[in-house]
Each structure stands twice: as structure tokens, then as C-alpha cells.
Amino acid sequence: MKFMSRLDKALREVGDGETTVPRNGAFQYESVITVESKAVPGVRFAIHRISFGRRMELSRRVRELSRKAEFLEAGTEMHEKIEASILAQEIDAMYLHWGLLSIEGLFIDGEPATAVRLLEKGPEELTREVVSAIKEQCGLSESERKN
């Protein structure tokens, strides 16, 4: 006869929809999460969750642009501020390409939405929502997300 401990019961009940522990005790990790859009009802998008390797990859991509943006943001000239804003938008586009896996429930000009179509022609509020969700998965603070 096998007795179940409280620990066994706790392991069976662990899970928040993103990671779960099945009855056999093996840890199940989902590397992708799906988010229901608040900006555009009926739209769902799937984004990658952060991992050690993906964080390194993203850091490499963003590093140089972030440095330039910080330098220009500190400037006093209007053209420097404008250039810093453009770089911040380029960084957001980089996050979108890096983190967005798929979009459901949205067609742009009669074609299924993709990261490229969303950036070029999609609703801006949805684009910002997706970028924000990706940055949240990366564990960025509110001030870091603004850049």
C-alpha cells in the first residue's frame, strides 16, 4: 500500500497555467504563453517566455542601440531627442520580432497578422500591448519598459 504525503498532494496542485506539475511529479515548463488582448477584443497572441539563452540573445541585439539611445536622450538638442525616440522605437521593434510567435484573430489588409505586418500596418495600441507583454516576460521594470 502506498501512502501519499502532503508533499505529494502539494506537487499535484502546483501550477498557474504556465507551469504545472503532473501527477507523476515531472515538472512541465511551457516556453510560450498565450495572451488575450485587452486592446483588441478577440485577438490572442503567443509570446516566448524568457530563458537564459534567449535573454543573452536579446541582450546582444539591444545592447548597442540602448547605449546610443541613452546618450542621445541625455543631450539638449531637439534633433538628439528625436533620434533617441527613433532608436527607442527600433528597440521595441526588435523586442517584437524577438518575442512574438503568433497572432490569432487578426487580419491586416485581408492577410493573417504577423510581426512584420503588425509593425508596418497593424493597430498601434495592439503593437504596444504585445511589446509590453514581451518586456514583462523579460522582467523589465516600468522605467526600463519605457525605453
Side-chain angles (χ1 to χ4, degrees):
M1 176 183 232
K2 185 175 179 182
F3 294 98
M4 296 181 64
S5 70
R6 281 191 235 166
L7 178 60
D8 290 337
K9 183 179 182 215
L11 287 175
R12 285 193 314 274
E13 294 175 354
V14 170
D16 59 3
E18 294 176 6
T19 58
T20 59
V21 179
R23 286 191 177 267
N24 67 5
F27 185 76
Q28 176 66 32
Y29 178 82
E30 298 297 327
S31 64
V32 174
I33 64 166
T34 303
V35 179
E36 297 283 338
S37 173
K38 292 177 180 75
V40 182
V43 171
R44 294 171 35 142
F45 54 92
I47 59 175
H48 293 283
R49 292 179 72 195
I50 195 71
S51 67
F52 186 81
R54 290 186 58 77
R55 186 180 302 279
M56 282 190 325
E57 175 191 348
L58 180 63
S59 296
R60 285 186 186 118
R61 289 185 186 186
V62 172
R63 177 178 43 206
E64 193 60 35
L65 286 178
S66 294
R67 287 179 187 161
K68 286 181 184 178
E70 286 178 20
F71 175 78
L72 290 169
E73 186 65 37
T76 57
E77 300 293 320
M78 180 57 79
H79 74 293
E80 291 173 323
K81 301 285 186 191
I82 293 170
E83 189 67 27
S85 176
I86 291 169
L87 286 173
Q89 292 172 13
E90 287 178 9
I91 291 169
D92 283 351
M94 200 176 299
Y95 273 101
L96 189 78
H97 284 292
W98 174 85
L100 181 62
L101 187 63
S102 64
I103 307 173
E104 298 173 2
L106 178 67
F107 284 81
I108 300 172
D109 294 335
E111 296 182 31
T114 63
V116 172
R117 285 191 193 107
L118 185 62
L119 277 172
E120 291 177 357
K121 301 177 182 181
E124 186 172 358
E125 64 274 5
L126 177 61
T127 305
R128 291 189 187 285
E129 180 182 24
V130 173
V131 169
S132 179
I134 292 167
K135 287 181 176 182
E136 186 177 310
Q137 280 301 306
C138 294
L140 297 177
S141 69
E142 185 63 34
S143 63
E144 291 170 320
R145 277 187 248 161
K146 289 181 181 178
N147 290 330

